[in-house]
Amino acid sequence: MPALFAHRPSTTRPTNRLWAVPVEWSPAKRRQKDVDARWTKKHGKSYFGYKLSVSVDRRHKLIRCVKVSDASEGDTLHLVDVLDRSNSSRDFWADRGYHDRPRERWLKMIGWRPHIQRKGQAGKPISERGKARNKRIASPRARVEHVFASLAQMGGKMIRSIGLARAEFGLMVKSAVYNLKRMSSLLELA
């Protein structure tokens, strides 16, 4: 999610690559810069901020676990943090980014049934059977994407704060509000 940032002079850029705050910054300047947020690229576009990873109950579309980190971390690093072991369903649905044979073996070993879409390799496109499998997995996964669409309707994943702790708090509150709205609609249907 995007965060507020200011362009820094080229003299401080090498220091920023080491994720350290330049010594010459005054305390007032440090308070105004988000030194926890990081850059990442997605589909050729650069983003500065944080990443939201969630575990969603597929049946009721409720957010079960939330993990917030800087944007430069990969999604797969948060897998252990968002796996909800108290979940009664042992199915794990994920997109192509999570495909990794050792990861799938590990998930099976700890009792999960992985349903992870496959991706083609350079020079070796995905087979027709693989495409059919991906299509079969995409339908249940679409319910999870509805959660992100609802968060977008609530102002998106955009957080106007400085620091990881504040961004994490803001996204936790936004997730809790989403769950309350979803729970009220589930109670109306019951």
Side-chain angles (χ1 to χ4, degrees):
M1 50 252 44
L4 295 175
F5 72 96
H7 290 283
R8 298 180 183 144
S10 60
T11 57
T12 62
R13 285 190 189 136
T15 308
N16 294 337
R17 285 194 188 110
L18 300 173
W19 296 1
V21 178
V23 185
E24 64 271 6
W25 284 6
S26 68
K29 186 172 185 174
R30 290 177 194 204
R31 283 192 297 269
Q32 296 172 21
K33 305 290 183 182
D34 196 343
V35 294
D36 295 333
R38 299 285 172 260
W39 285 98
T40 190
K41 274 196 173 192
K42 188 171 185 179
H43 305 295
K45 190 173 178 186
S46 295
Y47 294 93
F48 183 80
Y50 301 97
K51 181 173 293 215
L52 174 68
S53 299
V54 298
S55 172
V56 177
D57 178 62
R58 186 174 65 110
R59 182 175 176 199
H60 300 292
K61 291 197 241 180
L62 293 170
I63 297 174
R64 298 180 70 99
C65 294
V66 176
K67 169 73 175 163
V68 180
S69 68
D70 64 67
S72 66
E73 290 186 8
D75 293 334
T76 57
L77 296 176
H78 304 148
L79 178 61
V80 175
D81 296 325
V82 297
L83 270 181
D84 187 6
R85 302 202 188 321
S86 64
N87 192 353
S88 59
S89 172
R90 303 313 295 168
D91 290 317
F92 174 79
W93 302 87
D95 64 8
R96 292 169 179 86
Y98 288 87
H99 174 63
D100 184 34
R101 296 226 186 268
R103 183 176 297 118
E104 288 187 42
R105 279 194 294 265
W106 175 76
L107 285 166
K108 287 178 183 176
M109 188 175 69
I110 63 170
W112 292 88
R113 289 184 298 269
H115 305 280
I116 302 173
Q117 291 179 321
R118 301 287 190 258
K119 58 183 174 183
Q121 305 289 325
K124 185 181 174 189
I126 194 163
S127 66
E128 291 302 317
R129 184 176 170 194
K131 287 179 184 176
R133 181 182 187 279
N134 283 352
K135 191 173 182 181
R136 191 174 61 250
I137 292 171
S139 180
R141 276 198 63 252
R143 294 185 58 83
V144 173
E145 299 301 324
H146 294 169
V147 172
F148 290 107
S150 296
L151 286 173
Q153 290 175 348
M154 294 169 42
K157 297 179 283 182
M158 175 79 123
I159 294 294
R160 299 250 179 222
S161 66
I162 295 177
L164 179 61
R166 288 180 179 173
E168 188 171 12
F169 176 76
L171 289 169
M172 290 281 193
V173 168
K174 200 172 270 199
S175 299
V177 168
Y178 165 79
N179 276 350
L180 288 172
K181 286 176 68 175
R182 181 67 187 149
M183 191 62 92
S184 68
S185 67
L186 289 171
L187 290 173
E188 285 177 14
L189 294 173

